[in-house]
Amino acid sequence: MDDAVELGVELLRNLEHEELSVAEAVDRIETITTNPTLTRTILDEAEKRGVIEREDGIIRPSGGVFVRYERQVVQKEGEFTCERCGAGLSTGHFIKFESGEVGPFGSSCIRKVTGRE
């Protein structure tokens, strides 16, 4: 559980959004866990650490830290299922954080998860 919380907080810290709805944030967190209690814990912990601000259903990341594609996104060949959309993949994109790895994602979902699309 602690690993999932750390990954979720890091994911929220690295979003390239000025703001997003709680539903959009939950969409990102669901790449790590679909457990509602754990999702709530991730949001609460991120707010407690100053990673996000929550107000009226809107989340504002406050870190200003973004995923560095050249160093943090790794592509692996194999048979994968995208953690965001469920599509079958022959190339998976994974985000490497200090606390672990998130993925696999397809080429368009990796951009959506990080907020580049």
Side-chain angles (χ1 to χ4, degrees):
M1 180 170 139
D2 290 339
D3 291 343
V5 171
E6 290 304 317
L7 279 173
V9 170
E10 280 194 80
L11 182 62
L12 292 173
R13 179 180 290 119
N14 285 272
L15 292 177
E16 292 191 32
H17 295 281
E18 287 186 28
E19 65 179 39
L20 62 163
S21 70
V22 170
E24 291 169 319
V26 168
D27 178 60
R28 296 344 184 253
I29 294 169
E30 284 180 341
T31 64
I32 297 167
T33 182
T34 56
N35 178 312
T37 303
L38 193 51
T39 297
R40 199 169 20 261
T41 301
I42 290 168
L43 288 168
D44 291 345
E45 187 64 25
E47 185 174 31
K48 185 171 100 178
R49 294 183 191 182
V51 171
I52 62 169
E53 295 175 8
R54 283 193 284 185
E55 186 179 337
D56 298 327
I58 300 295
I59 290 180
R60 291 179 186 83
S62 55
V65 177
F66 305 121
V67 170
R68 292 190 175 108
Y69 269 71
E70 310 79 41
R71 293 192 338 213
Q72 288 179 274
V73 176
V74 177
Q75 293 182 27
K76 298 179 185 179
E77 300 298 321
E79 292 185 28
F80 303 105
T81 302
C82 180
E83 289 291 333
R84 183 172 179 279
C85 72
L89 307 168
S90 58
T91 302
H93 297 77
F94 297 81
I95 306 170
K96 295 178 89 173
F97 292 120
E98 286 183 25
S99 60
E101 193 172 82
V102 180
F105 303 106
S107 58
S108 62
C109 283
I110 187 75
R111 291 189 301 275
K112 289 178 184 173
V113 168
T114 59
R116 293 193 176 187
E117 189 172 285

